[in-house]
Amino acid sequence: MNSAITMNRGSQETLCAQGRGARELRFAGAPPRRRRAWLGVLLLLWGAWLAPAADLVQPIDPNATFFMGRVRYSKNDGNDCGTVGQELLKLVSSVSTIKVQQEKRVRLTDPDLFETPFLFMNGHNDFVLSAEELEALRKYFSHGGFLFVSGCCTNPDFPKAARREFARLFRDERVKELAYDHAIYRSFYFISHVRSLHEKKDIHLEALSCQDRLVMVMCEDGLCCAFSMANRCNVGKGVSPEDGQKLALNIAVYALTH
């Protein structure tokens, strides 16, 4: 396994460097209707005016849909906090007129990965990605894909593993904290800060970049539990339900408009 990882790392810089040009194509195997979903999320800006949001900067596509892939990875079958994927889609639908499709489960090594420009991944426990999964993610990210990652129930094991595993993807790239002046905090709602419910600190999103483009955004503080289950399984910890919904929508809008 170690030799395979070392060999794959030799192509990291090339794959990452291809990312900007490949973004114009998005996913060659995806139908045009699916590629248009990247613009269609801007319907969110018209659906409800619940808080200050960014100005509309691109035309609305009336035929667009929002869809996502729920990631199966390592030994995880993609069922942690079971309904969270559908709850994210409902959240998008509740503030817009955008068409929302059912989530689909996809393994990192499945060919369908490259027809799914927006992925969601969550979990409770430690995990290790295989050499094949890492290679698939390198290609996926270098071709314009985006991954939204959330720890479940404020368990520290999953985000710790995520930082370690995603650090194996690209040479000299690590998961880093996003300061509040980053555009992701104002892509839909204007978020000046997010306060932890159980610690005297502000909560920040974390991200992995490839050629100055965010390809993965993570919140370790039970974000998926906050926006999907009213924070019940966090038991008074992590992110509030209101802040969880705002962060989730900001991540979705940022991913699909950048």
Side-chain angles (χ1 to χ4, degrees):
M1 180 177 293
N2 289 338
S3 61
I5 293 172
T6 302
M7 180 178 66
N8 287 337
R9 282 191 167 220
S11 63
Q12 289 175 22
E13 292 179 351
T14 301
L15 283 172
C16 197
Q18 291 172 347
R20 289 196 176 278
R23 283 186 72 205
E24 300 303 319
L25 298 175
R26 298 298 176 191
F27 297 85
R33 180 175 59 83
R34 288 189 171 184
R35 294 198 293 268
R36 289 198 298 266
W38 291 79
L39 295 180
V41 76
L42 285 167
L43 286 168
L44 292 168
L45 300 175
W46 291 97
W49 206 253
L50 304 180
D55 292 333
L56 188 68
V57 294
Q58 298 184 53
I60 295 173
D61 181 354
N63 298 313
T65 59
F66 180 80
F67 65 100
M68 56 168 274
R70 183 79 176 271
V71 176
R72 293 174 172 172
Y73 61 94
S74 187
K75 298 179 181 180
N76 189 296
D77 60 3
N79 286 324
D80 286 62
C81 300
T83 62
V84 64
Q86 283 303 119
E87 292 300 322
L88 177 58
L89 293 174
K90 289 179 183 177
L91 181 60
V92 171
S93 178
S94 70
V95 296
S96 71
T97 57
I98 196 170
K99 299 174 184 177
V100 174
Q101 294 184 7
Q102 296 290 313
E103 70 170 13
K104 66 175 182 178
R105 306 294 172 94
V106 58
R107 288 203 169 274
L108 293 177
T109 52
D110 287 347
D112 284 352
L113 183 75
F114 297 96
E115 295 187 6
T116 315
F118 187 97
L119 295 175
F120 176 76
M121 173 181 176
N122 68 336
H124 292 81
N125 304 314
D126 189 11
F127 65 92
V128 176
L129 297 177
S130 69
E132 292 77 15
E133 288 175 319
L134 289 169
E135 183 64 17
L137 272 176
R138 290 188 191 103
K139 292 179 180 178
Y140 176 79
F141 288 148
S142 69
H143 285 78
F146 183 89
L147 176 61
F148 173 13
V149 178
S150 174
C152 293
C153 307
T154 63
N155 188 324
D157 293 341
F158 175 83
K160 182 179 178 181
R163 295 184 192 100
R164 181 193 67 231
E165 293 303 295
F166 288 120
R168 299 167 60 194
L169 284 169
F170 301 116
R171 193 183 305 278
D172 300 325
E173 292 289 352
R174 298 292 181 268
V175 178
K176 299 176 182 177
E177 184 178 280
L178 292 177
Y180 283 121
D181 61 356
H182 193 279
I184 200 167
Y185 295 106
R186 55 182 183 272
S187 60
F188 182 57
Y189 293 100
F190 181 85
I191 300 174
S192 60
H193 70 282
V194 178
R195 198 67 178 166
S196 171
L197 292 178
H198 68 292
E199 295 181 287
K200 294 181 179 180
K201 69 172 187 177
D202 287 337
I203 291 172
H204 291 80
L205 298 174
E206 300 173 68
L208 179 73
S209 296
C210 175
Q211 286 289 302
D212 299 321
R213 180 178 66 87
L214 298 190
V215 294
M216 184 280 291
V217 173
M218 178 177 76
C219 182
E220 70 169 337
D221 295 275
L223 176 56
C224 64
C225 305
F227 72 74
S228 68
M229 292 179 283
N231 221 42
R232 290 189 300 274
C233 62
N234 282 338
V235 194
K237 297 181 179 180
V239 183
S240 72
E242 180 182 6
D243 285 337
Q245 291 184 4
K246 290 179 179 179
L247 283 171
L249 282 171
N250 274 36
I251 292 169
V253 172
Y254 180 88
L256 301 180
T257 57
H258 283 74

